[in-house]
Amino acid sequence: MAYTIVIASRYLIPLFLYLFLSCSIYALFVGDVRKQSGAAALQMVFLFLMQFTAWLTIVIRTQQSKYLLFYAFLQILTLALPVLAWFIYPGISRIVMNHMCMLFSAGLIVLTRLDLTKAIKQLIIAGASFVVFLIVPWILRKCRFLEKLGWIYAGIGISALGIVLILGQVTHGSKLSWSIGGITFQPSEFVKLTFVFFLAAVLSEKTGIRQVVAAGIGATAHVLILVLSKDLGSALILFMVYVFLMTISAHQPLYLAGGLVAGAGASLLAYRMFSHVQVRVQAWRDPWSVIDKQGYQIAQALFAMSRGGLFGLGIGKGTPQDIPYVETDFIFSAVIEELGLLFGIGILLTAAVLFVLMIRLAGGLADGFYRNLVVGFAILYLFQTFLTVGGGSKFIPLTGVTLPLVSYGGSSVMTTILMFGVIEGVFVLRYDEELRIEKQRRKKKRQTEETE
């Protein structure tokens, strides 16, 4: 019986994911968050079944009951807390929350199989982040002056990056983090949020020369400090967010063309200046020629994905631990090796639906600040996902950034959850506005009827 369950899990886990996605497609056609309750409830059923099948397989293969306790806490985080959030804020998008939980669960399946200690740490950080997540919509409701704090956001971001540049710890040739009381932070992850807030505020009303110059100065300061810290992956993400948000806000395609040309030039310059960039490009161009050195990571990642096939080898039957830093940079390769190519494509589709939901939300907003905020986060999320998956699959050179909600990393997970907390807060604001308009319409209709 146990053997049958383990074998069946290879097919059941991707099946439940695609049933989950079928509800997402239905929700995209419905649009109105108030009419998505049925699809959201069904999604939670499929999410539960996927989690149950995965952790049952892990328990059977390991014969260790400690995984059951971990699974119980995961259920509280990914099933109970979303229901609580919906109870507190009826206007949130349950579909968005379900997609977050699906991506987080997929990452934890692989992380639990690799290192339970790291999985527990990831779960604790995510739990604390979800508590803050519940407060974010309330903050957006109460603080209607956020769009006036543009340069404060910039000051916070530049100061945090400056501290890392001066006092940061060097990791793989880059200054990425600093520690307080034994707790390590990667400020560039949090600065991504303040950076989008800065651009959204500066470009909220109009995009004349003054706003363009101001946004350019702030963006240049952020990117330059990251380049000096050799955190080129984060620098590239912020630069692309700036270019696309400027283009969309100003409705000016020339900004995009100019940005792409400037980005290409900066990439060539970075290749000339930094040896670790040359190493990554060499590993991307021909990993087999340097498989014992620079190309070892990407070669092992490609081997892992090729072994996975459509349905994967099964949880615990692969060798993802052979890939250096598999839990961060190459988590997607581990997912495909043990859960299969179909599951990996499903994860990408889950991320794509999240992007579409954010863009659809932005399209229905009249307020320029919140519209820019949502668009900026959508671009940030999509581009970081592209860099991680593209780098791990040899589509582009490796950039060293994490896959949002899936990869291991406390700062990354916390930042992504807070980002979606802001997105849900904007959903709540839109819901409140729709209720206000509906009440005014009913009041006007009642007054008209009384007059007649």
Side-chain angles (χ1 to χ4, degrees):
M1 181 64 178
Y3 176 78
T4 303
I5 293 174
V6 172
I7 295 299
S9 68
R10 295 176 57 210
Y11 309 100
L12 290 176
I13 290 175
L15 173 63
F16 293 139
L17 173 57
Y18 279 93
L19 290 173
F20 175 95
L21 285 170
S22 67
C23 298
S24 305
I25 295 172
Y26 170 78
L28 287 176
F29 282 105
V30 172
D32 189 344
V33 295
R34 289 170 289 187
K35 298 179 180 179
Q36 296 174 353
S37 298
L42 197 54
Q43 276 188 326
M44 296 186 75
V45 173
F46 295 132
L47 174 60
F48 166 78
L49 290 173
M50 189 205 75
Q51 292 175 341
F52 178 80
T53 304
W55 264 269
L56 179 61
T57 303
I58 292 174
V59 171
I60 290 174
R61 290 193 60 83
T62 61
Q63 296 294 307
Q64 297 184 34
S65 59
K66 62 183 179 180
Y67 290 97
L68 292 175
L69 182 61
F70 179 86
Y71 168 72
F73 281 104
L74 175 66
Q75 292 291 289
I76 294 174
L77 181 63
T78 57
L79 296 178
L81 277 182
V83 173
L84 175 62
W86 176 64
F87 179 78
I88 298 173
Y89 306 107
I92 68 169
S93 171
R94 295 176 66 187
I95 302 296
V96 168
M97 287 210 68
N98 288 343
H99 279 70
M100 291 173 56
C101 294
M102 175 59 79
L103 291 171
F104 182 70
S105 299
L108 273 191
I109 291 173
V110 176
L111 190 57
T112 302
R113 173 258 183 276
L114 287 170
D115 189 332
L116 181 59
T117 301
K118 289 184 177 180
I120 293 173
K121 183 178 178 181
Q122 185 94 327
L123 187 65
I124 292 173
I125 293 174
S129 302
F130 267 112
V131 172
V132 181
F133 174 99
L134 295 175
I135 304 174
V136 172
W138 179 84
I139 294 175
L140 292 186
R141 270 178 170 173
K142 297 298 181 181
C143 303
R144 294 305 184 100
F145 53 83
L146 296 177
E147 62 186 87
K148 300 178 182 179
L149 306 178
W151 286 103
I152 293 180
Y153 303 132
I156 293 173
I158 292 171
S159 299
L161 295 178
I163 293 173
V164 176
L165 177 62
I166 299 172
L167 304 175
Q169 302 170 357
V170 178
T171 305
H172 307 300
S174 305
K175 288 188 176 181
L176 302 176
S177 59
W178 46 276
S179 299
I180 299 178
I183 301 176
T184 301
F185 298 89
Q186 191 168 336
S188 62
E189 293 291 338
F190 298 96
V191 170
K192 292 172 186 175
L193 301 185
T194 60
F195 182 76
V196 174
F197 267 92
F198 160 69
L199 291 180
V202 171
L203 304 173
S204 60
E205 295 182 359
K206 56 182 180 179
T207 51
I209 295 298
R210 179 182 175 184
Q211 287 74 27
V212 170
V213 172
I217 292 174
T220 301
H222 282 82
V223 172
L224 183 60
I225 296 176
L226 286 170
V227 170
L228 293 176
S229 299
K230 299 183 180 180
D231 187 0
L232 302 183
S234 295
L236 178 59
I237 291 172
L238 296 193
F239 176 75
M240 295 308 296
V241 169
Y242 163 71
V243 170
F244 277 94
L245 194 53
M246 281 287 299
T247 302
I248 295 171
S249 299
H251 306 287
Q252 180 54 265
L254 288 178
Y255 288 156
L256 176 60
L260 293 178
V261 171
S267 299
L268 180 60
L269 184 62
Y271 177 79
R272 300 287 187 184
M273 292 177 58
F274 302 113
S275 58
H276 69 285
V277 175
Q278 298 171 12
V279 168
R280 290 177 176 179
V281 171
Q282 173 61 31
W284 167 67
R285 292 178 59 187
D286 187 8
W288 320 114
S289 64
V290 287
I291 192 172
D292 293 332
K293 297 180 180 179
Q294 299 96 325
Y296 182 78
Q297 276 183 302
I298 187 64
Q300 290 299 323
L302 294 175
F303 289 147
M305 288 190 287
S306 65
R307 287 192 296 266
L310 285 178
F311 295 99
L313 299 176
I315 298 174
K317 301 189 82 172
T319 56
Q321 63 274 9
D322 291 345
I323 309 173
Y325 307 104
V326 62
E327 69 276 7
T328 53
D329 297 356
F330 293 96
I331 192 72
F332 191 68
S333 301
V335 167
I336 291 181
E337 181 181 19
E338 298 206 339
L339 298 175
L341 180 61
L342 286 177
F343 189 87
I345 293 173
I347 290 300
L348 295 182
L349 291 175
T350 304
V353 171
L354 268 177
F355 174 77
V356 172
L357 289 170
M358 286 188 276
I359 293 299
R360 173 175 286 184
L361 170 63
L365 297 173
D367 188 288
F369 172 68
Y370 291 113
R371 184 174 60 250
N372 289 339
L373 198 61
V374 174
V375 170
F377 284 144
I379 296 169
L380 171 67
Y381 174 75
L382 184 69
F383 196 68
Q384 183 162 337
T385 300
F386 167 74
L387 288 181
T388 309
V389 175
S393 59
K394 198 182 169 294
F395 184 73
I396 58 173
L398 186 68
T399 55
V401 296
T402 55
L403 185 58
L405 293 175
V406 181
S407 294
Y408 173 71
S411 298
S412 175
V413 167
M414 182 176 291
T415 300
T416 306
I417 291 175
L418 293 181
M419 180 187 78
F420 281 109
V422 175
I423 297 296
E424 292 286 25
V426 177
F427 270 110
V428 170
L429 293 179
R430 190 183 70 171
Y431 178 78
D432 292 344
E433 180 65 16
E434 290 174 350
L435 286 183
R436 185 184 65 81
I437 294 174
E438 181 66 18
K439 287 180 179 179
Q440 290 179 345
R441 188 188 66 80
R442 291 179 179 178
K443 182 179 179 180
K444 185 176 180 180
K445 181 179 179 180
R446 188 168 56 250
Q447 289 174 345
T448 302
E449 291 175 349
E450 290 175 355
T451 302
E452 294 177 350

